[in-house]
Amino acid sequence: MTGSSRTVHLAVYDTFADWETGHTTAHLARNGYTVRTVGLSREPVTTLGGLRVQPDLSLDELRAQDSALLILTGADAWDTGDALAPFARAARGFLDAGVPVAAICGATAGLAREGLLDGRTHTSAVSFYLAATGYAGGSRYVDADAVTDAGAAGGGGLITAGPTEPVAFAREVFALLGVYGPEKLDAWYRLFHDSDASAYEVLQGE
């Protein structure tokens, strides 16, 4: 993987589903990563939760070599036109540069339309949601909470997840970036996904 090892870029746009990456960005920030937001422009956007977000940079300022990961969330606009297609094209640039991309919910459909799921193992909300895009990757669809495709030699890894799996999505991101070791990663997931109180001791003890 190439790119900056401690900066993660979160794409933001009107109606982006702010809850889908809350676990991911919060725990990356608590583990020494800088999370920078990137919009189509630097104009403020409003999330589905009604939060106003001022992007740190515009999409034309984003460079894969400055990043460890590009995160794309769901949004109404993924399914109502091509307004967010530039983010899917940016994802192609990241993957081609060997820098990973993580997409959840409607962003998976955007990647499907861009052709980025045709040759990669992936998941989404349901298989027929992606099939409606007309993409050619149906045989690579996996019915799972979240999936990581490591990518071909020289290519970046790709994480995909459905809209109800923000915790599993975060787990895949942490595993790909090496944020936690295996034991702590398992404990983190059990704590936040299963409310397993015993996992807290593992997290505190490492």
Side-chain angles (χ1 to χ4, degrees):
M1 183 182 75
T2 61
S4 172
S5 63
R6 306 303 290 182
T7 300
V8 168
H9 288 90
L10 171 67
V12 295
Y13 21 75
D14 285 328
T15 75
F16 97 83
D18 38 13
W19 66 89
E20 291 178 344
T21 59
H23 289 89
T24 302
T25 55
H27 289 274
L28 286 175
R30 290 175 68 91
N31 283 277
Y33 283 81
T34 297
V35 179
R36 302 196 71 201
T37 53
V38 54
L40 286 169
S41 71
R42 288 189 178 227
E43 291 299 310
V45 300
T46 303
T47 75
L48 271 177
L51 302 180
R52 183 179 169 90
V53 178
Q54 177 77 55
D56 294 313
L57 69 162
S58 62
L59 192 55
D60 60 6
E61 297 174 287
L62 178 65
R63 300 189 308 167
Q65 60 265 37
D66 296 331
S67 187
L69 176 72
L70 174 63
I71 303 172
L72 303 172
T73 72
D76 292 345
W78 284 115
D79 297 317
T80 57
D82 296 327
L84 300 184
F87 286 101
R89 291 194 291 272
R92 177 180 292 280
F94 267 60
L95 294 171
D96 287 348
V99 182
V101 172
I104 186 171
C105 189
T108 61
L111 298 190
R113 295 186 188 96
E114 182 65 19
L116 296 177
L117 304 185
D118 290 350
R120 294 177 172 88
T121 303
H122 60 277
T123 194
S124 185
V126 288
S127 60
F128 55 81
Y129 171 64
L130 292 186
T133 68
Y135 84 133
S139 65
R140 301 296 299 271
Y141 185 90
V142 177
D143 187 10
D145 294 344
V147 171
T148 297
D149 184 286
L158 177 64
I159 295 167
T160 49
T164 62
E165 299 300 335
V167 178
F169 181 71
R171 177 189 59 190
E172 298 300 304
V173 169
F174 302 154
L176 185 66
L177 296 181
V179 175
Y180 299 125
E183 183 180 10
K184 191 169 184 178
L185 181 64
D186 175 70
W188 183 91
Y189 184 75
R190 287 189 288 112
L191 179 62
F192 287 96
H193 187 267
D194 304 326
S195 299
D196 181 353
S198 68
Y200 183 76
E201 294 182 7
V202 178
L203 289 171
Q204 293 297 104
E206 184 170 303

